[in-house]
Amino acid sequence: LLSYIALNMVASSVWQISRGGVIITTAIFSVIFLKRKFEKSAIIGCILAFIGITGVQLVTVLASTKNDENKNAEIAGVFLLLASLIFNGLGLVS
């Protein structure tokens, strides 16, 4: 539900790229709860995915030419996306 609410607040391309963060949250929760060990290549892949997703979200918010009210909605949408990724990652690990 959080993810679809965020879809109304951010561009659909940003939403779609940000949904790739499920890989990262699932990996983090797998290490925390399941005590799983990852190879270096998987860790590097998660780091690169994090950098890419964070870069897309930052560019969207910082380069926005919208007024302050719409920019605040975009920022709220990004935070809703992050919250949805956490809940989705928890659901996949449990």
Side-chain angles (χ1 to χ4, degrees):
L1 181 65
L2 291 174
S3 179
Y4 294 116
I5 292 171
L7 179 58
N8 290 322
M9 297 177 172
V10 297
S12 60
S13 58
V14 174
W15 181 84
Q16 189 172 12
I17 291 172
S18 298
R19 294 295 302 153
V22 171
I23 298 167
I24 301 165
T25 57
T26 304
I28 290 170
F29 291 133
S30 294
V31 169
I32 293 171
F33 296 121
L34 303 177
K35 307 297 185 219
R36 182 166 180 197
K37 303 287 184 196
F38 287 101
E39 296 179 10
K40 287 183 181 179
S41 61
I43 294 170
I44 291 171
C46 284
I47 291 170
L48 290 174
F50 177 78
I51 291 169
I53 292 167
T54 304
V56 166
Q57 291 174 345
L58 282 175
V59 166
T60 299
V61 172
L62 296 177
S64 178
T65 58
K66 298 179 180 178
N67 59 18
D68 287 340
E69 185 175 314
N70 288 341
K71 190 175 270 195
N72 289 340
E74 283 185 358
I75 293 170
V78 167
F79 282 114
L80 285 174
L81 272 171
L82 295 176
S84 74
L85 293 178
I86 291 170
F87 288 121
N88 200 353
L90 282 171
L92 290 172
V93 170
S94 62

